[in-house]
Amino acid sequence: MAPTVPEPVEPAPGAVPPATQQISASQVRANAAAKRVLARLMRGENPPTAPMSLVERLAGSPYANPTIPAGAHESERRTLDFALELAETMFRYGAGALEVETSMIAVTTALGLRHVEVDITNQSVAINHAPKDGTPSTLLRVVRSWTSNYAGLVLVHQLVTEIAAGGVGLNEASRRLQGIARRAKPFPKWSVTVAFGMFAALFVGVLGGGQLASLIAFGSNLLVSLVWRVLGRWRVPDFFVTMASSFLVTIIALMLFAVHLPIAPAIVVVGGILLLLPTARLVSATQDAINGFPVTAAGRYLSAFLTFAALVAGIAVASAVGEMLGIARINVTETFPAAYPYPVEVLMIGASVAAIAVTEQTSRRLVLPTAAVGVVGYLALTGVGLLGVGDRLAPAASAVVMGFLARIVALRLGAPQLVVAVPAALILLPGLTIFRSMYVATVDASQITAGAGGMLTAMAIILAAAAGVVLGDNLARPFTRSATSLERRRRSRRR
């Protein structure tokens, strides 16, 4: 049975309809405000498909709030070519993907280009310019060579800062960038070679080796540097150069062990391969992944693990040759008690960080500040370790301190943060941990499970260290806004 629908009730004849009440002006305003609030809650502050302004990527960077001219006052194509040349130079000198992207955005914005998109992968940079009333164009540049030149990176940072302030035109910027590329590095080759050996000798002492072990590590690294230079001149791939270097270091350790020299051969091997470890590459790859560049990070991770494989292969081949000669296999995972008092270790850390800064060809005026940041980071590492937080959290806490101080020190001295942070962070040696784990898993078949667990621990340490550097950099941003403004004003007065 269908439900009954009540019929509408008609008003009685002669009934007076209710009078319509007038709404006051305040009620009208209140209703309109309520509607606006409700609409804002339903659709958000911005339309859901609105693209983020590219200039917003500069927020928190040293180039935030660049000078934006009313229109493009330079040749668009020449500006794009300059931005690509700038990016190639920065990549070749060791900059991270985030630094390259923010520099390109700051430069193109300050030179008057709009509607620009930047895409960065492992070793290529693409820039797209699509004006509303013009023909779009896309340019690509591939970076095929790398060199250690943090001093050049500092000069590029200063150039970008001046361009972002609006006082350097395209012609002068191109001329100065070419001058930076032709500029000689601050340290000659022989001093870099000596610094390689000094770092190994000093850090072997920190790891528990005595004076004789440090002396042998110094000699081994000098020999490795010579082999690397010769094979590099012959265009031998880096994989085989690394393999040959680790083979040479291990053979030296085995021969010293065979003649009963009073030294642990494992410390000789570790000291010889310290500078072959791709620690800086691992930290940079993790930073790129955190900053939103997964393709670049994946490429750097692959390159780093190929280096680890080459190191393990060289040591394995040398161990096999040693066994054929009747020499026992070396246990490179062996650790040693402290050989020096703690104050001496702190001084050795400072000197080793200064040596690394020299090998990276940093500016002379940044060597001592970088060493000071490394020393403070080491003090934080040991201090947090005494609290019993574990081997995974202590490097993270130390990395936060170093990342925080590196940004403040670097921007005060007119340099990008990574120029100070990367050499200082090498004291954490996450590369040594993952190398030992790979060695155990590869050379000893019965220890595959232990090696795999060690690799997970090593990866956790690497992630914690890299994330700590990035976190420290972000925590220091509120304290460096005045430093960035001061640097811009100082350079404006120089012009």
Side-chain angles (χ1 to χ4, degrees), residues 421-437:
V422 172
L426 290 183
I427 66 169
L428 302 176
L429 287 182
L432 182 60
T433 306
I434 197 169
F435 161 74
R436 284 172 168 170
S437 303

PDB file of all heavy atoms in Angstrom, residues 421-437:
ATOM      1  N   ALA A 421      80.318  22.453   5.961  1.00  0.00           N
ATOM      2  CA  ALA A 421      79.663  21.299   6.571  1.00  0.00           C
ATOM      3  C   ALA A 421      80.257  19.975   6.095  1.00  0.00           C
ATOM      4  O   ALA A 421      80.464  19.051   6.896  1.00  0.00           O
ATOM      5  CB  ALA A 421      78.165  21.328   6.279  1.00  0.00           C
ATOM      6  N   VAL A 422      80.541  19.834   4.801  1.00  0.00           N
ATOM      7  CA  VAL A 422      80.993  18.543   4.272  1.00  0.00           C
ATOM      8  C   VAL A 422      82.354  18.137   4.827  1.00  0.00           C
ATOM      9  O   VAL A 422      82.515  17.011   5.318  1.00  0.00           O
ATOM     10  CB  VAL A 422      80.984  18.560   2.731  1.00  0.00           C
ATOM     11  CG1 VAL A 422      81.644  17.307   2.176  1.00  0.00           C
ATOM     12  CG2 VAL A 422      79.550  18.662   2.217  1.00  0.00           C
ATOM     13  N   PRO A 423      83.392  18.991   4.799  1.00  0.00           N
ATOM     14  CA  PRO A 423      84.659  18.558   5.413  1.00  0.00           C
ATOM     15  C   PRO A 423      84.532  18.252   6.898  1.00  0.00           C
ATOM     16  O   PRO A 423      85.147  17.307   7.396  1.00  0.00           O
ATOM     17  CB  PRO A 423      85.592  19.758   5.165  1.00  0.00           C
ATOM     18  CG  PRO A 423      85.009  20.467   4.004  1.00  0.00           C
ATOM     19  CD  PRO A 423      83.528  20.307   4.149  1.00  0.00           C
ATOM     20  N   ALA A 424      83.723  19.046   7.614  1.00  0.00           N
ATOM     21  CA  ALA A 424      83.571  18.796   9.049  1.00  0.00           C
ATOM     22  C   ALA A 424      82.850  17.484   9.308  1.00  0.00           C
ATOM     23  O   ALA A 424      83.194  16.747  10.245  1.00  0.00           O
ATOM     24  CB  ALA A 424      82.817  19.958   9.696  1.00  0.00           C
ATOM     25  N   ALA A 425      81.853  17.152   8.480  1.00  0.00           N
ATOM     26  CA  ALA A 425      81.064  15.933   8.711  1.00  0.00           C
ATOM     27  C   ALA A 425      81.845  14.660   8.410  1.00  0.00           C
ATOM     28  O   ALA A 425      81.414  13.572   8.812  1.00  0.00           O
ATOM     29  CB  ALA A 425      79.791  15.972   7.869  1.00  0.00           C
ATOM     30  N   LEU A 426      82.980  14.769   7.728  1.00  0.00           N
ATOM     31  CA  LEU A 426      83.752  13.569   7.416  1.00  0.00           C
ATOM     32  C   LEU A 426      84.333  12.907   8.654  1.00  0.00           C
ATOM     33  O   LEU A 426      84.741  11.743   8.599  1.00  0.00           O
ATOM     34  CB  LEU A 426      84.876  13.908   6.431  1.00  0.00           C
ATOM     35  CG  LEU A 426      84.449  14.247   5.006  1.00  0.00           C
ATOM     36  CD1 LEU A 426      85.659  14.500   4.131  1.00  0.00           C
ATOM     37  CD2 LEU A 426      83.608  13.130   4.413  1.00  0.00           C
ATOM     38  N   ILE A 427      84.404  13.620   9.776  1.00  0.00           N
ATOM     39  CA  ILE A 427      84.930  13.003  10.988  1.00  0.00           C
ATOM     40  C   ILE A 427      84.007  11.912  11.523  1.00  0.00           C
ATOM     41  O   ILE A 427      84.431  11.068  12.318  1.00  0.00           O
ATOM     42  CB  ILE A 427      85.161  14.052  12.093  1.00  0.00           C
ATOM     43  CG1 ILE A 427      83.821  14.645  12.548  1.00  0.00           C
ATOM     44  CG2 ILE A 427      86.103  15.142  11.621  1.00  0.00           C
ATOM     45  CD1 ILE A 427      83.927  15.472  13.807  1.00  0.00           C
ATOM     46  N   LEU A 428      82.749  11.908  11.066  1.00  0.00           N
ATOM     47  CA  LEU A 428      81.817  10.862  11.504  1.00  0.00           C
ATOM     48  C   LEU A 428      82.117   9.530  10.843  1.00  0.00           C
ATOM     49  O   LEU A 428      81.680   8.484  11.336  1.00  0.00           O
ATOM     50  CB  LEU A 428      80.374  11.290  11.213  1.00  0.00           C
ATOM     51  CG  LEU A 428      79.936  12.606  11.867  1.00  0.00           C
ATOM     52  CD1 LEU A 428      78.517  12.966  11.433  1.00  0.00           C
ATOM     53  CD2 LEU A 428      80.014  12.500  13.371  1.00  0.00           C
ATOM     54  N   LEU A 429      82.806   9.544   9.695  1.00  0.00           N
ATOM     55  CA  LEU A 429      83.233   8.340   8.979  1.00  0.00           C
ATOM     56  C   LEU A 429      82.113   7.312   8.793  1.00  0.00           C
ATOM     57  O   LEU A 429      82.295   6.125   9.101  1.00  0.00           O
ATOM     58  CB  LEU A 429      84.413   7.672   9.699  1.00  0.00           C
ATOM     59  CG  LEU A 429      85.766   8.373   9.597  1.00  0.00           C
ATOM     60  CD1 LEU A 429      86.831   7.560  10.311  1.00  0.00           C
ATOM     61  CD2 LEU A 429      86.154   8.608   8.152  1.00  0.00           C
ATOM     62  N   PRO A 430      80.957   7.691   8.285  1.00  0.00           N
ATOM     63  CA  PRO A 430      79.945   6.663   7.994  1.00  0.00           C
ATOM     64  C   PRO A 430      80.385   5.735   6.878  1.00  0.00           C
ATOM     65  O   PRO A 430      79.962   4.580   6.815  1.00  0.00           O
ATOM     66  CB  PRO A 430      78.719   7.494   7.577  1.00  0.00           C
ATOM     67  CG  PRO A 430      79.291   8.775   7.082  1.00  0.00           C
ATOM     68  CD  PRO A 430      80.505   9.041   7.905  1.00  0.00           C
ATOM     69  N   GLY A 431      81.247   6.214   5.989  1.00  0.00           N
ATOM     70  CA  GLY A 431      81.727   5.355   4.910  1.00  0.00           C
ATOM     71  C   GLY A 431      82.544   4.189   5.414  1.00  0.00           C
ATOM     72  O   GLY A 431      82.497   3.087   4.846  1.00  0.00           O
ATOM     73  N   LEU A 432      83.314   4.389   6.494  1.00  0.00           N
ATOM     74  CA  LEU A 432      84.118   3.302   7.045  1.00  0.00           C
ATOM     75  C   LEU A 432      83.228   2.212   7.617  1.00  0.00           C
ATOM     76  O   LEU A 432      83.524   1.012   7.476  1.00  0.00           O
ATOM     77  CB  LEU A 432      85.053   3.855   8.127  1.00  0.00           C
ATOM     78  CG  LEU A 432      85.997   2.854   8.782  1.00  0.00           C
ATOM     79  CD1 LEU A 432      86.910   2.221   7.738  1.00  0.00           C
ATOM     80  CD2 LEU A 432      86.824   3.531   9.873  1.00  0.00           C
ATOM     81  N   THR A 433      82.118   2.587   8.244  1.00  0.00           N
ATOM     82  CA  THR A 433      81.201   1.596   8.816  1.00  0.00           C
ATOM     83  C   THR A 433      80.577   0.732   7.727  1.00  0.00           C
ATOM     84  O   THR A 433      80.524  -0.501   7.845  1.00  0.00           O
ATOM     85  CB  THR A 433      80.092   2.308   9.617  1.00  0.00           C
ATOM     86  OG1 THR A 433      80.694   3.163  10.577  1.00  0.00           O
ATOM     87  CG2 THR A 433      79.210   1.299  10.324  1.00  0.00           C
ATOM     88  N   ILE A 434      80.106   1.347   6.660  1.00  0.00           N
ATOM     89  CA  ILE A 434      79.461   0.565   5.612  1.00  0.00           C
ATOM     90  C   ILE A 434      80.490  -0.255   4.832  1.00  0.00           C
ATOM     91  O   ILE A 434      80.202  -1.358   4.357  1.00  0.00           O
ATOM     92  CB  ILE A 434      78.659   1.479   4.671  1.00  0.00           C
ATOM     93  CG1 ILE A 434      77.668   0.651   3.863  1.00  0.00           C
ATOM     94  CG2 ILE A 434      79.543   2.284   3.747  1.00  0.00           C
ATOM     95  CD1 ILE A 434      76.657   1.479   3.118  1.00  0.00           C
ATOM     96  N   PHE A 435      81.728   0.242   4.722  1.00  0.00           N
ATOM     97  CA  PHE A 435      82.767  -0.559   4.062  1.00  0.00           C
ATOM     98  C   PHE A 435      83.049  -1.831   4.840  1.00  0.00           C
ATOM     99  O   PHE A 435      83.171  -2.919   4.270  1.00  0.00           O
ATOM    100  CB  PHE A 435      84.046   0.263   3.918  1.00  0.00           C
ATOM    101  CG  PHE A 435      85.268  -0.573   3.677  1.00  0.00           C
ATOM    102  CD1 PHE A 435      85.480  -1.168   2.437  1.00  0.00           C
ATOM    103  CD2 PHE A 435      86.178  -0.797   4.693  1.00  0.00           C
ATOM    104  CE1 PHE A 435      86.591  -1.961   2.225  1.00  0.00           C
ATOM    105  CE2 PHE A 435      87.292  -1.580   4.486  1.00  0.00           C
ATOM    106  CZ  PHE A 435      87.504  -2.162   3.247  1.00  0.00           C
ATOM    107  N   ARG A 436      83.183  -1.705   6.147  1.00  0.00           N
ATOM    108  CA  ARG A 436      83.463  -2.900   6.956  1.00  0.00           C
ATOM    109  C   ARG A 436      82.335  -3.916   6.837  1.00  0.00           C
ATOM    110  O   ARG A 436      82.576  -5.127   6.754  1.00  0.00           O
ATOM    111  CB  ARG A 436      83.654  -2.476   8.418  1.00  0.00           C
ATOM    112  CG  ARG A 436      84.995  -1.815   8.694  1.00  0.00           C
ATOM    113  CD  ARG A 436      85.066  -1.240  10.096  1.00  0.00           C
ATOM    114  NE  ARG A 436      86.432  -0.853  10.447  1.00  0.00           N
ATOM    115  CZ  ARG A 436      86.761  -0.159  11.524  1.00  0.00           C
ATOM    116  NH1 ARG A 436      85.797   0.246  12.362  1.00  0.00           N
ATOM    117  NH2 ARG A 436      88.032   0.138  11.779  1.00  0.00           N
ATOM    118  N   SER A 437      81.099  -3.437   6.794  1.00  0.00           N
ATOM    119  CA  SER A 437      79.963  -4.351   6.662  1.00  0.00           C
ATOM    120  C   SER A 437      79.974  -5.044   5.309  1.00  0.00           C
ATOM    121  O   SER A 437      79.731  -6.256   5.211  1.00  0.00           O
ATOM    122  CB  SER A 437      78.657  -3.584   6.866  1.00  0.00           C
ATOM    123  OG  SER A 437      78.641  -2.937   8.117  1.00  0.00           O
TER     124      SER A 437
END
